[in-house]
Amino acid sequence: MKAPLSWLRDFAPFDTSDPAALASSLDDLGLVVEGMEHVGEGLGDVVVALVEGVDAIAGADRIRLVTVDAGSGPLEVVCGAWNFAPGDLVPLAPVGAVLPGDFRIERRKMKGATSNGMLCSARELRLSDDHEGILVLNDVEGARAGVPLTEALGVEPDVVFDITVEGNRPDAWSIAGIARDLAGRLRLPFTPPDPAPAPDLGTPVAALASLEVADLDLCPRMVVAVLDRVRVGPSPRWLARRLLLAGMRPINDVVDASNYVMLELGQPTHPYDLDRLAGAGLVVRRARPGEKLVTLDGVERTLGTPGRGLGDTGEDCLICDAEGTAVGIGGIMGGESSEISDTTTRVLLEAAYFSPMAIARTSKRLGLRTEASARFERGCDPWGIDRAVDRFCELVGAPTATGKLDVRGHVPVPERIVVTSRRVRAVLGVDIDAEEVAALIEPLGFGAEPRDDGLLVTVPTNRPDVRPAPHGVDDVIEEIARTYGYSKIPRHRPSWPEPGGLTRYQRERRLVGDALCGVGALEAWTPSLVDDADHAAMGLAGAAVEVSNPIANEEAWLRRSMLPGLVRALARNVNRRQGKVRLFEIGIVFSHPDVGARTARGGASGSETAVLPAERELCSVVLAGEGDDARSALAAWRVLVDALRLEPVELVADESVPGLHPTRSALLATSGTAGTTIGAVGEVDPAVAEALGYAADNGRIGWLEVDLGRLLDPSVTPRRPVQARPLSRFPSADVDVALVVADTVPAARVEAALVRGARGAGTGDGAGTGDGAGAGDGAGAGDGAGAGDGGLLESVVLFDVYRGPGVPEGHRSLAYRLRFAASDRTLTDEEVGGLRRRAIDAAAAATGAVLR
Amino acid sequence: MGRLERDAADALAAAASSAELAEVETAALGKRSALAAAHRHLAALDPDARRAAGKALHDARTRLEALAAARAEELVAAERALMLGRDRLDLTEVTADEIRSAMTRGRLHLVTQTRRELEDVFVAMGFTVAEGPEAETDWYNFEALNIPPAHPARSMWDTFYLELGQPETVVLRTHTSPVQIHLMEDGPPPVHAVIPGRCYRRETADARHLPVFHQLEGLVVDRGITFGDLAGTIETFTTAYFGPDIHSRLRPGYFPFTEPSAEVEVTCTICRGAGCRTCSSTGWVELAGCGMVDPAVFEAVGIDPEEWSGFAFGFGIDRCAQMRHVIADMRVLTENDVRFLRLF
């Protein structure tokens, strides 16, 4: 809120010489000064001038030459505004004047005309936001040519602080409240407003109006006063100016007085034209379901019906006239029918304490937030109402009926809380003695009676942020800390015996990211909120989770895959001529609970079990560098296998992975018990890429995706053993084997059979080759160390694939290099030959392979 | 007329490729087709005959168009099947020397780099790193954090709701604070954890805000933890991350889940405290929110606030990156322009 220093000074003698120091104190109290504006300064050189003539300038159609007289003869000024005519009085900044904002007026030539100064708008003078034209001063009393503008307007230099008040401090959301905090900090006396009594009308209020509150839970207290012989007109200049400085537009003296009281004391009030109320008085009640009312802003509101919001009971507090017709929504906005007008003579003023929660839910449902509702929902002081009403009556100054109507239900009363010195020390880590605590919080209106172990604190009713005990103890301690000064609390770095660190999952997730950087991929951040059409485009069946209140339809669904986002990112880079790149992302994808669900505490007070989308953390990679395709994706995958020391993971060709090229993609299946799928490798389906804006002629997109939850769980994706094994010091023997196999047989099956055969683990037809079960003949030859590992085969590598003459159509020749070694001797040719034979036989039996 | 349609239909059916079909379609249905010519002749007929012939022509066109569409679908499917057959690649027969690998190094996203660095600073201070889900119930995101339904304080967070269960009961977390609740529910204190993660707020993106962003939360629950410990931890962190000439200060703030609450301000990284436009000439910029864990939060998770106390803090990972690297407009973080990704 905007707080002019001159207004703050009504309540405490603040020093005006150093506003920055005041701002710093306010900051330190948590009343954050977002801006500080010096107003009425820099106007010393500006004078009132009489417009004598306005002439066109040859060749210019936007500016004119104005002749003015500021008491010392005619002066020519070029001006671009058109809202004045000869005979008007306007502000003139002569050459040499320095306007607010350090704006120096120079003599200038425009289109051949010389300008000897500037005529000013209200905004240029920082008097208001009005920049529609030059400020015309004809109606200003005392404005004559040559008179200094400050004298004519009665403007004193002032400083306006723009202060953000936290939501839990309704007491400070007022000029007096800010002054109270600041005075406390600066140890200055704070004098609360003490309205003088208004002239007594001599008629008891009850004779003029009635008040009935039917639903005291929504409106625990309401006060009504009646003023007569009101003459509605403009507010006095000082009041209008204060409203302007505080950012409110003056309307008429009655409405202005109500606004002024709200700004000054934080208590909204509402004036009604008593003669326009059907039945002289007010009835406060719950709105009936579906009841309608046209509010002051001209909008018809439907009330009394719960909205979608959690906890919205649909209870709205209506203010009605004595005949029961709605005239306003309590605490939020009045109705059109009983508005104050120029002809109003009798005013009924309503001031109330509304249930903060009720105001919050009505305001939220109606999307109607007003200065009043914002204050009521934070909680006004139920016992500050009387002062606010008196202040209003004082400002309006009209004869006021004797007494007030006052209906009360359960109105909050001051809480009493014991705050022990021990607790203060336990929370803040510093000893502040009880006497000092009392001196800190008493200026804020808290009562503090010493006790053996601390203080008995009485909480003023303007502090709804302080809860009842026991939680309220810490709320009081916050006040102590705030007034003591957070910066004075000694800092200390805590330590504890438990070690810090990343989990294994977190460490290995970093490893995955680093490994992918190693293959030249850049990490991207694509949207989590996407268009469901993208899921359809990649052929993902089933539902996505929908956002109830998206910002845009394209961001209305939780992503189920990162493929669309990554392909779109590729496309965007292509469009920006950034060429061919590899991207990856590590992030969360969501399943609809119908497919994959997680349960968690939910419902009111967490008493029920709620169903939520299952979340999986994936790592997805798109490889669209020069020449990239499924092979590049495979390479990236092999790097991950190596980085994580994975046991072999099977590639299972699969034609139906959504979004992927049917004949160039495979699932990654672990050898673990369930043979779990942990991801996929291959290519993005060119048709899908095209649908996502990546044209096929940009080349193929290699694709790798792994579910990190599965990949990094060794019970799902087994790791190679970490125990060291003695390295053989004897020469190894390489054997090359070229096998002709039908195209329909995956090479992986051939390789698996070769390994099986060479290790002698036994296959269905292994018996035919004469070896026994178990570790094969290596064991018999004394290969003790390697027995558990399958013997003498060290590695199998596919090193050549050949199709063409010499190999039948529909077949290819796969050339493998098998390396054998024993840890304790050099293998004989016979041994190697036997192993080779068994490997070939196993491959032949399992896949129909023929030795080439 | 019948012949005209039959010929056209035969031609469409005989088209052997999408390209050929397109030609045939133009010939049969385009401006210069016999059909179009017949249509032009309608004008010469008397009204009744014109109506009948016009309808016949229209029906024929409709049938032919359907035929063309069906044939197009067939051809596309056939061509795709052919392409898939030709493209077929046995990923298990790819040899090592067939694989190209870039010799340039990629980069982690700036946000990931920042997150790792922040994690490392806190790990060195003895913190563990915890994570939690991005979709939460109202209980975890609000209620257990001392923000009851319909409480006015909820307006501090613009929330995305999900179409699950009762309206407004499932949300995209607006902060990482729900993980505080998970951690305190999951086991007895002590807790010393930082919680990085993605959060969501229903705000339009601008230079300083993204609707989807990253936060790092801290939670310490132990015996004898005080506000002084919080201030000390924050100062240690800011010095470690931003450098020795960057300091922190706390000023009163408001969060429903901490009491006392504070805003953390750090020396402006642009002007190093001298005062500039970024810091509105104050020399300080807001970085984080923090405070002592509110007793109502302890109550929600069944921890005795007499025995245990704690503090929590939270700040934007993206904001730290923005401050450290002087990023004028945050939206560049989600654009994935490789020129930006390669910068860091």
Side-chain angles (χ1 to χ4, degrees):
Chain A
M1 82 171 283
K2 293 193 167 173
L5 179 52
S6 60
W7 200 344
L8 291 168
R9 276 173 55 82
D10 282 3
F11 311 113
F14 299 117
D15 179 6
T16 54
S17 67
D18 191 358
L22 294 177
S24 158
S25 294
L26 286 166
D27 271 342
D28 206 38
L29 286 162
L31 302 172
V32 181
V33 178
E34 307 282 356
M36 206 163 74
E37 196 183 3
H38 294 265
V39 294
E41 284 184 354
L43 300 182
D45 302 325
V46 181
V47 291
V48 178
L50 174 71
V51 178
E52 296 190 321
V54 181
D55 298 294
I57 299 173
D61 50 5
R62 286 168 186 268
I63 52 176
R64 298 183 298 177
L65 189 63
V66 183
T67 309
V68 295
D69 183 355
S72 49
L75 201 65
E76 290 187 335
V77 177
V78 176
C79 183
W82 294 69
N83 67 319
F84 57 90
D88 284 348
L89 290 168
V90 294
L92 167 75
V95 170
V98 181
L99 292 185
D102 225 10
F103 177 36
R104 179 175 290 277
I105 306 299
E106 316 266 6
R107 180 168 289 115
R108 294 177 64 195
K109 269 197 134 166
M110 281 175 276
K111 297 274 181 187
T114 302
S115 186
N116 300 294
M118 187 176 95
L119 307 184
C120 309
S121 72
R123 191 165 86 190
E124 281 157 347
L125 299 171
R126 302 266 169 98
L127 290 172
S128 82
D129 277 345
D130 192 356
H131 196 52
E132 285 298 295
I134 299 304
L135 176 64
V136 176
L137 302 163
N138 302 357
D139 296 338
V140 175
E141 221 175 293
R144 288 184 324 279
V147 172
L149 182 71
T150 48
E151 195 183 310
L153 289 176
V155 175
E156 294 292 321
D158 204 346
V159 176
V160 180
F161 299 105
D162 188 359
I163 296 174
T164 298
V165 179
E166 298 284 4
N168 66 335
R169 291 292 311 281
D171 67 292
W173 201 2
S174 63
I175 303 294
I178 291 168
R180 187 196 300 114
D181 257 31
L182 188 57
R185 166 56 61 96
L186 302 174
R187 309 208 176 236
L188 295 171
F190 170 73
T191 318
D194 186 16
D200 190 357
L201 184 62
T203 316
V205 65
L208 299 172
S210 64
L211 173 63
E212 181 196 340
V213 180
D215 292 302
L216 284 163
D217 56 332
L218 298 181
C219 177
R221 187 177 179 209
M222 183 172 278
V223 172
V224 158
V226 173
L227 294 77
D228 198 355
R229 285 180 254 145
V230 175
R231 277 193 300 272
V232 177
S235 289
R237 191 190 309 284
W238 66 269
L239 192 150
R241 177 162 164 78
R242 279 190 170 177
L243 287 183
L244 276 172
L245 288 178
M248 285 190 114
R249 191 163 286 279
I251 295 165
N252 61 50
D253 58 353
V254 174
V255 173
D256 292 351
S258 173
N259 285 334
Y260 187 93
V261 169
M262 177 177 72
L263 293 174
E264 183 172 82
L265 301 174
Q267 170 69 46
T269 57
H270 191 87
Y272 296 85
D273 184 331
L274 182 56
D275 296 309
R276 292 174 71 187
L277 286 175
L282 298 179
V283 174
V284 182
R285 61 166 171 84
R286 267 181 175 67
R288 289 184 282 269
E291 196 164 358
K292 291 186 168 56
L293 170 73
V294 177
T295 41
L296 270 175
D297 52 3
V299 179
E300 185 183 76
R301 313 278 177 177
T302 305
L303 302 161
T305 316
R308 276 176 61 91
L310 192 64
D312 183 359
T313 52
E315 296 164 284
D316 299 318
C317 181
L318 267 191
I319 313 285
C320 306
D321 61 32
E323 291 185 357
T325 308
V327 295
I329 305 172
I332 299 182
M333 196 179 265
E336 276 184 324
S337 59
S338 52
E339 216 179 323
I340 299 295
S341 70
D342 292 350
T343 58
T344 301
T345 56
R346 296 201 303 156
V347 170
L348 180 152
L349 185 76
E350 163 239 297
Y353 173 72
F354 294 101
S355 153
M357 291 289 273
I359 296 289
R361 75 185 164 232
T362 301
S363 158
K364 182 183 174 222
R365 169 156 32 81
L366 299 180
L368 187 57
R369 215 177 128 75
T370 59
E371 290 275 345
S373 76
R375 286 177 166 82
F376 281 126
E377 71 174 27
R378 284 167 159 82
C380 294
D381 181 1
W383 301 108
I385 292 173
D386 309 80
R387 175 175 284 159
V389 171
D390 292 346
R391 184 72 169 130
F392 173 87
C393 295
E394 179 190 30
L395 288 170
V396 174
T400 302
T402 313
K404 301 180 188 107
L405 300 175
D406 188 349
V407 176
R408 297 174 193 174
H410 180 74
V411 184
V413 292
E415 293 283 341
R416 289 157 77 81
I417 299 175
V418 175
V419 180
T420 63
S421 305
R422 194 182 56 79
R423 183 70 190 170
V424 173
R425 188 173 52 246
V427 173
L428 300 181
V430 63
D431 278 312
I432 309 175
D433 70 60
E435 209 171 305
E436 190 178 357
V437 168
L440 287 170
I441 63 175
E442 275 171 346
L444 304 185
F446 288 84
E449 294 167 37
R451 290 166 43 124
D452 293 348
D453 52 350
L455 291 170
L456 175 64
V457 173
T458 308
V459 182
T461 50
N462 66 350
R463 295 303 301 267
D465 58 313
V466 179
R467 294 163 287 183
H471 299 337
V473 175
D474 288 9
D475 299 333
V476 174
I477 291 173
E478 179 177 64
E479 279 312 284
I480 296 168
R482 196 171 69 82
T483 47
Y484 181 75
Y486 279 13
S487 55
K488 281 160 65 185
I489 296 171
R491 296 172 176 187
H492 168 257
R493 208 192 111 202
S495 62
W496 42 80
E498 295 82 4
L502 299 178
T503 61
R504 193 186 47 75
Y505 178 91
Q506 288 162 345
R507 282 197 311 272
E508 290 183 351
R509 180 175 53 199
R510 288 186 174 193
L511 185 62
V512 168
D514 291 339
L516 290 171
C517 286
V519 303
L522 296 160
E523 190 184 14
W525 167 10
T526 73
S528 302
L529 299 173
V530 301
D531 191 338
D532 202 30
D534 279 0
H535 296 135
M538 65 175 284
L540 267 178
V545 177
E546 193 177 355
V547 176
S548 310
N549 55 340
I551 293 175
N553 288 335
E554 302 77 53
E555 299 165 8
W557 310 82
L558 300 189
R559 67 177 173 192
R560 299 169 61 198
S561 165
M562 296 190 282
L563 186 147
L566 285 168
V567 172
R568 287 193 186 281
L570 288 177
R572 189 171 310 121
N573 278 296
V574 167
N575 291 342
R576 292 183 179 180
R577 301 168 57 86
Q578 290 310 307
K580 299 176 170 283
V581 294
R582 297 171 171 177
L583 299 176
F584 77 99
E585 180 169 8
I586 292 176
I588 295 290
V589 298
F590 303 81
S591 308
H592 196 282
D594 293 349
V595 182
R598 172 175 86 80
T599 56
R601 288 178 74 176
S605 310
S607 57
E608 294 162 29
T609 300
V611 177
L612 295 160
E615 297 180 18
R616 292 185 302 141
E617 188 161 42
L618 302 186
C619 172
S620 303
V621 193
V622 282
L623 300 105
E626 195 64 52
D628 276 348
D629 66 359
R631 295 175 182 88
S632 328
L634 189 65
W637 167 241
R638 287 179 181 171
V639 167
L640 290 189
V641 170
D642 203 31
L644 294 165
R645 293 179 299 98
L646 303 183
E647 289 281 12
V649 172
E650 203 180 337
L651 301 183
V652 184
D654 193 301
E655 304 216 340
S656 58
V657 187
L660 299 197
H661 191 306
T663 54
R664 295 170 77 85
S665 300
L667 295 176
L668 301 169
T670 65
S671 52
T673 45
T676 311
T677 299
I678 60 166
V681 61
E683 257 167 47
V684 175
D685 187 330
V688 171
E690 188 106 36
L692 294 169
Y694 184 89
D697 56 13
N698 289 311
R700 297 177 184 269
I701 304 175
W703 173 258
L704 170 65
E705 177 173 276
V706 283
D707 181 324
L708 291 180
R710 294 176 181 172
L711 178 73
L712 302 182
D713 179 352
S715 73
V716 177
T717 309
R719 306 290 173 85
R720 292 203 300 270
V722 290
Q723 284 84 9
R725 232 175 35 162
L727 307 173
S728 173
R729 284 174 290 110
F730 297 93
S732 55
D734 284 355
V735 173
D736 291 354
V737 178
L739 298 168
V740 175
V741 192
D743 281 339
T744 50
V745 177
R749 278 182 54 203
V750 180
E751 185 176 317
L754 287 171
V755 170
R756 226 167 30 236
R759 286 188 176 164
T763 60
D765 50 6
T769 63
D771 67 9
D777 67 351
D783 183 22
D789 196 26
L792 306 170
L793 180 67
E794 201 173 86
S795 63
V796 181
V797 177
L798 175 69
F799 68 91
D800 189 44
V801 181
Y802 171 76
R803 287 181 175 82
V807 175
E809 183 68 22
H811 289 63
R812 79 282 206 208
S813 163
L814 302 172
Y816 290 94
R817 178 161 298 151
L818 284 65
R819 175 165 292 181
F820 296 100
S823 59
D824 55 350
R825 69 202 142 88
T826 305
L827 291 173
T828 64
D829 288 351
E830 292 76 45
E831 278 177 298
V832 173
L835 289 165
R836 172 178 181 272
R837 188 69 251 159
R838 281 215 309 278
I840 294 166
D841 287 347
T847 66
V850 175
L851 189 62
R852 188 166 167 218
Chain B
M1 176 66 217
R3 190 177 50 76
L4 206 74
E5 186 181 347
R6 233 178 0 262
D7 288 352
D10 290 347
L12 287 171
S17 71
S18 292
E20 197 184 324
L21 180 69
E23 282 172 31
V24 174
E25 216 178 326
T26 310
L29 295 161
K31 275 192 194 127
R32 287 179 203 173
S33 63
L35 210 62
H39 209 274
R40 280 193 292 275
H41 287 133
L42 286 177
L45 302 177
D46 67 72
D48 282 350
R50 192 192 310 159
R51 207 172 297 121
K55 181 173 184 335
L57 276 177
H58 176 77
D59 291 349
R61 174 175 285 275
T62 309
R63 284 191 294 273
L64 286 172
E65 279 170 355
L67 210 60
R71 183 63 187 151
E73 211 170 290
E74 273 171 37
L75 287 170
V76 166
E79 282 159 14
R80 177 165 163 89
L82 200 68
M83 180 275 284
L84 293 181
R86 258 202 319 268
D87 259 8
R88 185 175 292 280
L89 172 68
D90 176 358
L91 282 170
T92 64
E93 67 160 61
V94 176
T95 61
D97 48 358
E98 271 185 86
I99 288 178
R100 302 157 172 275
S101 189
M103 289 300 282
T104 56
R105 192 174 162 77
R107 290 265 198 282
L108 295 175
H109 196 280
L110 178 59
V111 169
T112 304
Q113 293 182 34
T114 309
R115 170 178 165 163
R116 284 191 183 184
E117 196 177 337
L118 294 169
E119 286 173 352
D120 291 346
V121 167
F122 283 105
V123 162
M125 290 163 70
F127 286 77
T128 57
V129 178
E131 294 169 67
E134 294 177 12
E136 286 282 11
T137 59
D138 186 84
W139 163 259
Y140 286 99
N141 197 71
F142 290 121
E143 221 181 316
L145 291 162
N146 193 31
I147 315 162
H151 193 276
R154 289 205 178 200
S155 63
M156 291 167 76
W157 299 272
D158 294 309
T159 310
F160 282 117
Y161 300 100
L162 299 181
E163 283 291 294
L164 294 172
Q166 294 297 304
E168 302 193 359
T169 55
V170 182
V171 307
L172 286 171
R173 66 177 176 191
T174 57
H175 42 197
T176 38
S177 309
V179 186
Q180 287 187 26
I181 304 301
H182 288 294
L183 285 175
M184 291 190 280
E185 276 182 348
D186 287 351
V191 178
H192 321 98
V194 288
I195 306 146
R198 193 168 283 192
C199 305
Y200 301 78
R201 286 190 198 166
R202 197 176 179 283
E203 292 170 350
T204 310
D206 64 26
R208 282 177 55 79
H209 300 90
L210 296 172
V212 182
F213 61 99
H214 300 90
Q215 258 194 354
L216 187 127
E217 183 101 1
L219 175 69
V220 169
V221 180
D222 209 333
R223 290 189 175 87
I225 295 293
T226 70
F227 193 85
D229 294 325
L230 166 61
T233 302
I234 297 280
E235 177 70 10
T236 306
F237 156 70
T238 46
T239 307
Y241 180 74
F242 290 107
D245 54 342
I246 300 294
H247 296 285
S248 65
R249 68 175 188 185
L250 304 184
R251 59 166 175 70
Y254 168 57
F255 304 101
F257 33 90
T258 49
E259 193 77 15
S261 300
E263 299 276 356
V264 179
E265 292 181 317
V266 299
T267 316
C268 177
T269 52
I270 308 289
C271 61
R272 303 268 140 181
C276 66
R277 268 187 50 195
T278 303
C279 58
S280 311
S281 308
T282 61
W284 298 92
V285 288
E286 273 184 37
L287 177 76
C290 66
M292 301 300 292
V293 177
D294 194 286
V297 175
F298 280 141
E299 190 174 81
V301 293
I303 289 179
D304 178 4
E306 289 298 321
E307 182 179 359
W308 303 96
S309 60
F311 62 75
F313 56 84
F315 54 85
I317 297 175
D318 317 329
R319 174 84 73 240
C320 283
Q322 181 176 39
M323 284 172 59
R324 165 87 75 83
H325 302 281
V326 197
I327 295 169
D329 190 331
M330 271 202 170
R331 284 170 288 196
V332 73
L333 292 173
T334 57
E335 277 179 15
N336 299 314
D337 188 312
V338 297
R339 287 167 295 182
F340 180 78
L341 298 178
R342 285 197 185 108
L343 273 179
F344 301 99

